[in-house]
Amino acid sequence: MGGVTRASLDKQPHEVASMFDDVAAHYDLTNDVLSLGQARLWRKAVAQAVDARPAQKVLDLAAGTATSSRPFAAAGAYTVPCDFSLGMLKVGKERQPHMPFTAGDATKLPFRDDTFDAVTISFGLRNVQDTDAALREMYRVTKPGGRVVICEFSQPTWKPFRTVYTEYLMRALPPVATAVSSNPEAYVYLAESIRAWPAQSALAARLQGAGWSKVAWRNLTGGVVALHRGFKA
C-alpha cells in the first residue's frame, strides 16, 4: 500500500497506533468534515456527562491531540490525556504544552487503583484490541463513587436511516476521506470498525460485566453515536 498504514479488524495495537500516527496532524479537521459538523456537538454532550469539577481528576483515554480533554481542564479538573499513538500525543503536546500527556494502552493503564473521579473515552473504545480488559482497567483506576463516560459510534435506531447511514460509511466516507485526509485508508478501517461495533444494549451489558453499576445510555444523532455512563460502587 505504498507505506500507508491501515489497521485491520483484529486491532493489533501496533497497527492501530501507527495508523493514528499517520493521520495525527489533520485528524480533528477530518473528523469535523466527515461527521458533517456533528463531532463538536458530540464533544459538548460528553463534557456535560462527565461534569468535571475543580479539584477532580479526569482521565481522558484515546485523547489523541486532547481536543476532547480541553473542556474538562477548562472546568478546573486535573485532566490527563492518554493515548497509545505517540504521533497524536506529539501533535497534542505541541498545541497544548501545559497538559500532562501520557502514553498508555487502555488494556494496561499506567495508573494506580482508585485514582480518578471520572474516566472517559470518545470514539476510541472500538479501536482497543480487548474491549472487556479496557472496561475493567477503567474500573480499576476509578475511585469508588466515580464514573465512566463512553462516547462511541453505535447503531441508528430508525431502520431506514440505519441503511442509509451504513451506505454512507462504506461508500461515501472513503472518497471524502481521500479529499481531506493524509491517509484515507485509515478511514476505510474506521468505517469497517464502526459497522462491526456492538449495539447500545450489548455495550451496556459489557460495562456491567466489568463491574460498573447504574449503567445507562442515551442516543445522539438518532443513535449514530451513543453515550454510555456507569458508576463504581
Side-chain angles (χ1 to χ4, degrees), residues 35-64:
S35 70
L36 307 178
Q38 293 294 298
R40 297 182 187 194
L41 298 176
W42 298 335
R43 282 196 291 270
K44 185 176 180 181
V46 171
Q48 291 172 341
V50 171
D51 192 24
R53 304 285 178 87
Q56 288 188 340
K57 292 181 179 179
V58 176
L59 174 61
D60 187 16
L61 292 174

Side-chain angles (χ1 to χ4, degrees), residues 134-154:
L135 294 176
R136 289 192 298 268
E137 274 291 271
M138 292 179 209
Y139 186 86
R140 179 184 67 77
V141 303
T142 300
K143 294 178 182 178
R147 58 209 180 272
V148 65
V149 175
I150 297 170
C151 183
E152 189 52 89
F153 290 107
S154 198

Side-chain angles (χ1 to χ4, degrees), residues 9 12 25 106 111 125 152 192 207 213:
L9 287 182
Q12 293 297 319
F111 306 107
L125 187 58
E152 189 52 89
E192 291 172 350
L207 275 160
S213 60

